[in-house]
C-alpha cells in the first residue's frame, strides 16, 4: 500500500509579525490592509511534502483562489464606494443648485434694496420739498392773517364786567378821550366797526380778564392810538390797561418769547423794540441792530464784552425759580 503523506499544516513562522493597518470607509467598515492579506496568503499557503511531492492543493491553485476572493472582495467594496460616491455626487449637485438659487435670491434682494434705497432718497427729497412748501404756505397764511388784522387793536387788562362787555364801543371811546384826546381834537375818525372779547367763551379758571379786540374804521387813527400807547401807560377810569397791535396767535407767541430779553435790554438802556412780525431791534454803539431769533442776539452779545452774559435766559430762569 502506497504510503500517503498528509498535507502538513503550514507553520506560522510570523506569529510575532505586526498586524497590518486598517482602512476605514465612509461608514466605519474596517478593511484589512493589502500587505496583511498577502502575508496571510503566504502563511496559509500549502507547503509541498517531502515525500513524493504530491499535495491536495498546490500553491499556485491556492494563490489563484485567494486572488479571486480578493478580487470579489474589492469589487464588492468598490461597488459600495461607487454607490456612496454617486449618492454624494447627487447631494453635491442638489447643494450646488440650492447654492445657486440662494445666490440668485441674494442678488434679487440686493437689487430690491438698491431700488428701495433710491426710492427712499426720492421720498426724502419730496418730503423736504413738501416741508419747505408747508412752511412757506404757513408763513404766507400767518402774514395774510396779520395783514387782515392791521386795523385792529388789542386791549389787555380791561375789567370783565357786564356793564363793560355790553358797551365795548363806548368804553373804547372813553379810553381814547382819557389817554389821547388830541386825536379827537384833530378830528380823527375814532369809530369802530366792532369790538369783542376773545376768546368768545369765558374760562372760569382764568383769573385775568379776556382781551378786547377792536376794529377801527381808520387805519391812520389806529396807528396814532398805538403810537401813544407805546409812549406811556394807558388807563381806564384810573385802572392800568395795555393797548397793543392785534396779531395772529402764532405771531403773538413769537413776540412773547422776547419778553425776558426785552426787559433786560430795557434795563441796559438799549431802547428795545419789537417790529413786525416778531423782530427785536436794539440801539447799541450808535447803530440799530435787528434780530429774528433769540440765538442770534445771544451770539451777538457773546462777542461784545459789554453784553457778554447779560442775555443768558437759562441762567435767568434758574435764578427766578
Amino acid at each position: 500500500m502506497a504510503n500517503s503523506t498528509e498535507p502538513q499544516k503550514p507553520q506560522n513562522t510570523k506569529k510575532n509579525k505586526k498586524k497590518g493597518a486598517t482602512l476605514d470607509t465612509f461608514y466605519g467598515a474596517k478593511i484589512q490592509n493589502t500587505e496583511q492579506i498577502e502575508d496571510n496568503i503566504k502563511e496559509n499557503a500549502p507547503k509541498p511534502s517531502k515525500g513524493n511531492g504530491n499535495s491536495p492543493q498546490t500553491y499556485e491553485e491556492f494563490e489563484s483562489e485567494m486572488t479571486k476572493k480578493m478580487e470579489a472582495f474589492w469589487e464588492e467594496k468598490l461597488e459600495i464606494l461607487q454607490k456612496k460616491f454617486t449618492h454624494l455626487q447627487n447631494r453635491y449637485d442638489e447643494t450646488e443648485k440650492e447654492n445657486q438659487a440662494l445666490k440668485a435670491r441674494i442678488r434679487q434682494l440686493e437689487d430690491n434694496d438698491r431700488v428701495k434705497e433710491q426710492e427712499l432718497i426720492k421720498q426724502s427729497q419730496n418730503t423736504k420739498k413738501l416741508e419747505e412748501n408747508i412752511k412757506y404756505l404757513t408763513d404766507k397764511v400767518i402774514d395774510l392773517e396779520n395783514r387782515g388784522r392791521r386795523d385792529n387793536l388789542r386791549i389787555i387788562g380791561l375789567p370783565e364786567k357786564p356793564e363793560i362787555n355790553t358797551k365795548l364801543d363806548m368804553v373804547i371811546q372813553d379810553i381814547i378821550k382819557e389817554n389821547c384826546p388830541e386825536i379827537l381834537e384833530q378830528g380823527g375818525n375814532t369809530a369802530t366797526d366792532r369790538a369783542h372779547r376773545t376768546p368768545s367763551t369765558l374760562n372760569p379758571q382764568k383769573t385775568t380778564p379776556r382781551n378786547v379786540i377792536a376794529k377801527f374804521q381808520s387805519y391812520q387813527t389806529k396807528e396814532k392810538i398805538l403810537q401813544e400807547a407805546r409812549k406811556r401807560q394807558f388807563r381806564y377810569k384810573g385802572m392800568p390797561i395795555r393797548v397793543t397791535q392785534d396779531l395772529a396767535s402764532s405771531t403773538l407767541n413769537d413776540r412773547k418769547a422776547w419778553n425776558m430779553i426785552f426787559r433786560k435790554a430795557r434795563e441796559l438802556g438799549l431802547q428795545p423794540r419789537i417790529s413786525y412780525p416778531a423782530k427785536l431791534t436794539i440801539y447799541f454803539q450808535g447803530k440799530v441792530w435787528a434780530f429774528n431769533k433769540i440765538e442770534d442776539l445771544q451770539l451777538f452779545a457773546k462777542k461784545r464784552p459789554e453784553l457778554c452774559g447779560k442775555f443768558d435766559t437759562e441762567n435767568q430762569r434758574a435764578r427766578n425759580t
Side-chain angles (χ1 to χ4, degrees), residues 254 257-258 261 278-280 290-304 307 311-314 317:
D254 292 340
W258 289 106
I261 290 179
K279 183 186 298 183
L280 176 70
F291 307 94
N292 292 318
K293 296 180 180 180
I294 296 176
E295 293 79 6
D296 297 337
L297 174 62
Q298 291 174 340
L299 184 61
F300 174 84
K302 287 181 180 179
K303 297 179 180 179
R304 274 75 181 176
L307 304 177
F311 296 100
D312 193 349
T313 55
E314 294 182 359
R317 290 194 184 96

Side-chain angles (χ1 to χ4, degrees), residues 137-262:
L137 293 174
T138 301
D139 294 341
K140 193 71 174 177
V141 169
I142 293 173
D143 182 66
L144 290 173
E145 184 178 356
N146 288 330
R147 293 182 185 279
R149 296 169 181 258
R150 65 194 301 270
D151 296 333
N152 297 354
L153 284 179
R154 183 181 291 262
I155 303 172
I156 304 170
L158 196 62
E160 188 91 21
K161 296 180 180 179
E163 59 271 19
I164 295 178
N165 292 340
T166 55
K167 299 178 181 179
L168 286 175
D169 291 335
M170 296 178 61
V171 170
I172 291 170
Q173 297 301 321
D174 294 339
I175 292 173
I176 296 173
K177 290 179 184 179
E178 184 176 352
N179 295 277
C180 45
E182 63 275 7
I183 295 177
L184 295 174
E185 294 173 358
Q186 294 173 1
N189 182 12
T190 60
T192 56
D193 285 337
R194 59 182 176 273
H196 61 87
R197 293 275 184 180
T198 182
S200 58
T201 57
L202 179 63
N203 184 1
Q205 297 180 353
K206 191 174 182 180
T207 58
T208 57
R210 293 175 292 169
N211 298 341
V212 174
I213 305 298
K215 179 178 176 59
F216 286 83
Q217 293 180 357
S218 172
Y219 172 75
Q220 290 78 11
T221 301
K222 188 266 312 183
E223 281 294 314
K224 290 179 180 179
I225 297 171
L226 186 60
Q227 290 174 3
E228 294 297 325
R230 289 170 178 166
K231 295 178 183 178
R232 59 182 181 273
Q233 176 73 61
F234 270 34
R235 295 181 178 274
Y236 174 69
K237 294 183 180 181
M239 294 179 294
I241 59 174
R242 189 155 62 96
V243 178
T244 63
Q245 174 68 46
D246 181 39
L247 297 169
S249 58
S250 59
T251 305
L252 290 175
N253 292 332
D254 292 340
R255 289 193 168 198
K256 286 180 181 178
W258 289 106
N259 285 348
M260 187 177 296
I261 290 179
F262 187 90

Side-chain angles (χ1 to χ4, degrees), residues 96-124:
E96 185 65 21
K97 290 180 181 179
E98 293 177 358
N99 188 25
Q100 294 298 329
L102 289 174
K103 288 182 179 179
R105 182 61 177 168
I106 291 172
R107 285 194 295 269
Q108 183 179 2
L109 291 174
E110 290 176 349
D111 294 339
N112 293 338
D113 287 341
R114 281 193 292 270
V115 172
K116 289 181 179 180
E117 185 176 357
Q118 293 175 356
E119 292 178 354
L120 184 61
I121 293 173
K122 291 181 181 178
Q123 290 179 358
S124 299

Side-chain angles (χ1 to χ4, degrees), residues 12 28 56 75 91-92 95 102 113 128 160 162 179 214 229 238 241 268 289-290:
N12 189 0
E75 287 178 359
R91 290 289 302 275
Y92 172 80
T95 304
L102 289 174
D113 287 341
K128 186 177 180 180
E160 188 91 21
N179 295 277
I241 59 174
L268 296 174
W289 304 84

